[in-house]
Amino acid sequence: MNYENYDPTFPDQPVVDLYLPIWATLPAFRSKPAFIWSEDGSTLTYAHLNHSVHSISSQLLHSLQRGDTVIILCTPGLDLVEILFGCQRAGLLSVPISPPDPSFSQHNYYHLLRALSQTKPKAAIAHHDYITKVLQYLSLPSKDNRLAEMLQNLNWIPTEHVKRKNADSGVDSHSMLYSGCQPDETYLIQYTSGATGIPKPVLLTAGSAAHNVRTARKAYDLHPNSVIVSWLPQYHDCGLMFLLLTIVSGATCVLTSPLAFVNRPRLWLELMTEFKATCTPVPSFTLPLVVKRGGVEKGSSPIDLRSLRNLIIINEPIYKASVEEFLSVLKPFGLHPSSISPSYGLAENCTFVSTAWRDNNDYSGNSCFPVFPSHNKLLPSARLASDEEEEDMDIIVVNEHTHEPVDDGIEGEIWVSSPSNGSGYLGHPFLTQDIFKGRLGNRVSRCYIRTGDKGIVKGEERFLFVTGRCLEVIKLPNGQDIHPHYIETAAYGSCPQFLRGGCLAAFDVSGMTVLVAEMQRSEKDDTILRNICERIRENVFKDERVDIGKVVLVKSGSVPKTTSGKIQRWLAKDNFLGGKMNVLIEIKFQNNGGLLQSSHGGGQRRGGNREREEGRGLMVEEKETIVYSLSSAPRASRL
């Protein structure tokens, strides 16, 4: 069924929640699915969602006051969707985070502890079973006393209680004056991913969120006929934005959990086929993962991607070769090059910033790939507005030291100014001033968010390439800089049959480039491990002209990542220096004649000799030391 009565001139609403009652009263939308949870087939229509949200908001205000802070500890699913919108309509400040295992036995609760300490919520919303397990934990004699005290001080609210089907709100939800979060009120605390440091709480107003998803709707040309498929975490960033984007567009969104996708990547392709998806957002690591583990041709159900208009690729950097390989594999199943939508966003700007996709993209003669330019193997993540285009998302590239704009073709720090900008970091006034109040040097200018991302603008169409992060740049002995992802990509390319893709981290330790790589299996053959290390060093030098000083092979799961799959190089370095990695072998390459030194793991690195970097210990267990000549090891610096 087409929803032709949708009026594109309908005035935009100041907050996202105000779209819901409008869709719910239109005859063509009342029974239209807003969200579908694919794991059990349950559906929320626009009318049902609006009624449920109104009921939940009324129930919440029986025990809370407007403006109170609530931490949401719901697993992915439709309950979480309803709770998020219910809190906004109740005028509450929401803090959605991934709920840790309520036994809290694996030290997996530090982010929860951080969120409770920083946001000081009055209540926590979770499923009844989860609350029961939390109470069991609180009754244990041995527990983290600080965590226990915070959990005990919360008003625990079961989702089953606030979602009572026959709850009587006492008011007509269609005629009441709106008393939910106003445009200038903070309605959400969204934590950053933690890719470059400890996650920070970003304050977002309801108005900035509405502006952000309206901008994204326009950029991706979404409308009521759009069908979105998403397995992203629903707690923050792109996963949360697409919940809001669905409502603003009057679209339908098919949801599943990140775990379901990781366990069976082909599920994503099957859902797009079954529901004739027109739009899907995925991190860049998804493409090689599906090529390798997706079993595209092996499943019992056929794959058909002809309906897809927007394959939104997030999490820069976006490698052209990876996208081309994905296209070549999926093109026989209907995937069109025109759907490729490299995009850029960050939590401090709600999420969305820009995309390189345009509805009128040009394609090469054989229609194999969009004619996006490339820069150092990367695709652009955005396209800056021309003078003729009216855009209120102002993106500039500046010298990070002088704060002066740089010319196109010169790499600098990306700054963003728009009504989507967050208000700052909760409890971090100095950091807020530094990051959210960026101004161009020696002049009066609007405020910009300093993204901390490196970028370069190229070409007449002013494509923006996101090349890396300022904090992660590695300085080489010859004075040149390199972004660590280039080293990691070259390292993986040396032994893809042994290493885990997307599970490598390169960083600097006292002027030496260190590469940590996860093995697919816990290989015990010393000869194989040493050969892998040698091949990594040789391939990195061949591809990037970089001398690796130390290669560390670790067990699967040792390299830390964010919930959206970004490598946490800062934490990998911290764990390495603190001896907290499950090391299989560690080889230090010498530059004086190609000698190398090897130390073997067998678990976490403990005790032994200690190298120092800024007073922090580098634990090296030397169960066995082997010194031998590697005549083929490259010795030159990067040119």
Side-chain angles (χ1 to χ4, degrees):
M1 176 181 180
N2 289 332
Y3 300 90
E4 302 293 349
N5 63 336
Y6 170 68
D7 182 3
T9 64
F10 180 80
D12 286 326
Q13 299 301 307
V15 298
V16 174
D17 183 39
L18 283 173
Y19 287 87
L20 256 181
I22 295 172
W23 297 130
T25 56
L26 291 176
F29 284 82
R30 288 174 187 162
S31 58
K32 179 189 176 183
F35 296 99
I36 299 171
W37 183 245
S38 66
E39 296 181 25
D40 62 8
S42 54
T43 298
L44 278 174
T45 66
Y46 275 92
H48 181 186
L49 178 58
N50 183 58
H51 175 77
S52 177
V53 165
H54 182 69
S55 174
I56 288 170
S57 67
S58 299
Q59 290 294 322
L60 288 172
L61 291 175
H62 287 164
S63 55
L64 297 169
Q65 293 183 346
R66 192 182 187 284
D68 283 348
T69 302
V70 178
I71 192 163
I72 301 174
L73 295 168
C74 298
T75 53
L78 299 188
D79 283 353
L80 177 56
V81 174
E82 293 173 278
I83 295 297
L84 285 167
F85 283 102
C87 287
Q88 180 172 359
R89 192 168 295 186
L92 301 173
L93 175 56
S94 301
V95 189
I97 68 168
S98 177
D101 186 313
S103 67
F104 306 115
S105 58
Q106 301 299 320
H107 300 285
N108 61 348
Y109 54 84
Y110 294 124
H111 184 52
L112 172 62
L113 191 63
R114 181 185 305 114
L116 293 174
S117 174
Q118 292 176 335
T119 66
K120 298 177 174 53
K122 293 285 184 66
I125 303 176
H127 292 106
H128 181 270
D129 291 346
Y130 189 88
I131 296 174
T132 300
K133 292 177 181 177
V134 170
L135 296 178
Q136 290 173 353
Y137 169 78
L138 293 177
S139 66
L140 296 175
S142 57
K143 52 183 176 287
D144 185 312
N145 291 331
R146 187 182 177 201
L147 175 66
E149 182 181 357
M150 290 183 177
L151 294 175
Q152 287 170 333
N153 290 335
L154 288 172
N155 173 17
W156 287 91
I157 303 175
T159 56
E160 295 84 350
H161 173 72
V162 296
K163 284 189 62 195
R164 287 187 307 193
K165 299 295 183 183
N166 297 319
D168 180 13
S169 63
V171 225
D172 179 359
S173 62
H174 299 313
S175 63
M176 63 179 289
L177 292 174
Y178 187 73
S179 59
C181 291
Q182 300 300 309
D184 60 346
E185 292 181 320
T186 303
Y187 95 105
L188 182 76
I189 296 177
Q190 171 174 258
Y191 275 86
T192 58
S193 66
T196 58
I198 294 173
K200 298 178 286 294
V202 181
L203 299 168
L204 300 176
T205 65
S208 64
H211 172 270
N212 197 249
V213 290
R214 288 198 304 266
T215 305
R217 175 186 66 178
K218 178 182 177 183
Y220 297 121
D221 191 27
L222 299 181
H223 46 75
N225 286 329
S226 298
V227 177
I228 300 163
V229 168
S230 173
W231 53 262
L232 298 178
Q234 300 168 23
Y235 311 106
H236 69 115
D237 277 6
C238 199
L240 176 56
M241 183 195 79
F242 266 86
L243 302 182
L244 308 181
L245 189 54
T246 298
I247 299 302
V248 167
S249 305
T252 295
C253 184
V254 181
L255 298 167
T256 191
S257 67
L259 184 60
F261 165 76
V262 171
N263 287 340
R264 197 169 70 86
R266 196 179 196 273
L267 173 65
W268 173 53
L269 304 177
E270 293 172 359
L271 290 177
M272 288 192 288
T273 299
E274 178 183 354
F275 292 95
K276 294 181 171 56
T278 63
C279 175
T280 186
V282 292
S284 55
F285 74 81
T286 304
L287 307 190
L289 177 65
V290 169
V291 168
K292 185 174 182 179
R293 289 183 46 215
V296 177
E297 298 180 349
K298 296 180 181 178
S300 57
S301 58
I303 301 300
D304 184 351
L305 304 178
R306 287 176 295 177
S307 61
L308 196 63
R309 292 188 72 239
N310 295 106
L311 174 54
I312 299 170
I313 307 171
I314 57 175
N315 284 15
E316 63 288 335
I318 301 171
Y319 276 82
K320 181 176 183 178
S322 175
V323 177
E324 286 180 324
E325 181 185 26
F326 185 80
L327 271 172
S328 67
V329 171
L330 273 298
K331 190 181 178 186
F333 299 90
L335 181 65
H336 198 276
S338 63
S339 66
I340 300 301
S341 309
S343 301
Y344 176 53
L346 65 155
E348 287 85 349
N349 194 61
C350 287
T351 293
F352 178 76
V353 173
S354 184
T355 179
W357 181 84
R358 292 293 187 272
D359 198 19
N360 59 349
N361 271 339
D362 295 323
Y363 300 90
S364 54
N366 60 7
S367 192
C368 279
F369 200 75
V371 186
F372 287 131
S374 62
H375 168 75
N376 267 7
K377 307 175 186 177
L378 305 180
L379 287 182
S381 296
R383 187 186 295 182
L384 275 57
S386 64
D387 294 335
E388 294 79 23
E389 295 174 320
E390 292 185 6
E391 297 281 355
D392 55 4
M393 195 80 72
D394 186 17
I395 307 169
I396 58 175
V397 178
V398 306
N399 181 302
E400 60 186 290
H401 304 295
T402 66
H403 296 180
E404 291 289 348
V406 299
D407 294 333
D408 288 2
I410 297 177
E411 187 176 87
E413 184 181 12
I414 302 169
W415 286 17
V416 178
S417 179
S418 84
S420 295
N421 287 172
S423 305
Y425 298 123
L426 176 67
H428 293 80
F430 296 108
L431 193 58
T432 294
Q433 183 67 28
D434 184 42
I435 301 300
F436 288 82
K437 307 295 182 184
R439 294 185 186 273
L440 298 177
N442 300 321
R443 73 190 73 176
V444 176
S445 74
R446 62 198 299 182
C447 288
Y448 290 84
I449 289 177
R450 300 178 58 193
T451 68
D453 292 323
K454 285 274 198 176
I456 186 170
V457 177
K458 301 194 75 174
E460 291 184 4
E461 297 191 25
R462 307 201 71 214
F463 283 102
L464 173 67
F465 297 83
V466 182
T467 54
R469 297 184 176 89
C470 299
L471 291 176
E472 295 178 340
V473 170
I474 295 175
K475 283 214 167 284
L476 301 175
N478 63 0
Q480 294 188 356
D481 296 340
I482 188 170
H483 294 290
H485 61 81
Y486 287 113
I487 297 173
E488 295 154 5
T489 301
Y492 174 72
S494 68
C495 300
Q497 69 275 33
F498 290 102
L499 304 177
R500 294 190 68 205
C503 299
L504 301 89
F507 45 82
D508 174 88
V509 176
S510 299
M512 175 177 61
T513 302
V514 177
L515 187 283
V516 177
E518 286 188 14
M519 294 285 289
Q520 294 181 21
R521 298 173 299 277
S522 295
E523 180 64 57
K524 296 181 180 179
D525 188 317
D526 287 348
T527 302
I528 292 177
L529 291 173
R530 291 178 195 142
N531 285 339
I532 291 171
C533 291
E534 292 176 48
R535 289 171 65 179
I536 286 175
R537 174 174 166 84
E538 290 172 355
N539 209 58
V540 170
F541 184 81
K542 177 174 71 72
D543 287 1
E544 301 297 339
R545 313 302 289 178
V546 172
D547 275 318
I548 297 291
K550 183 172 288 188
V551 176
V552 186
L553 301 182
V554 296
K555 293 181 181 179
S556 176
S558 297
V559 175
K561 294 182 178 182
T562 69
T563 56
S564 54
K566 298 177 184 177
I567 297 296
Q568 294 176 296
R569 297 179 182 92
W570 68 276
L571 187 54
K573 178 177 178 178
D574 195 61
N575 289 345
F576 174 72
L577 295 174
K580 299 176 183 177
M581 283 194 164
N582 291 313
V583 175
L584 295 171
I585 192 170
E586 177 177 322
I587 292 184
K588 182 177 181 180
F589 292 86
Q590 306 289 347
N591 289 322
N592 55 348
L595 297 178
L596 56 81
Q597 189 178 47
S598 169
S599 61
H600 294 262
Q604 292 189 340
R605 300 155 75 241
R606 305 282 187 194
N609 296 337
R610 187 179 293 262
E611 298 178 61
R612 295 284 181 181
E613 185 200 36
E614 298 177 348
R616 301 170 69 181
L618 172 59
M619 312 296 291
V620 180
E621 183 179 16
E622 295 194 319
K623 291 184 178 178
E624 178 185 1
T625 300
I626 304 167
V627 179
Y628 61 96
S629 175
L630 182 63
S631 58
S632 60
R635 295 187 291 274
S637 299
R638 187 170 189 256
L639 301 178

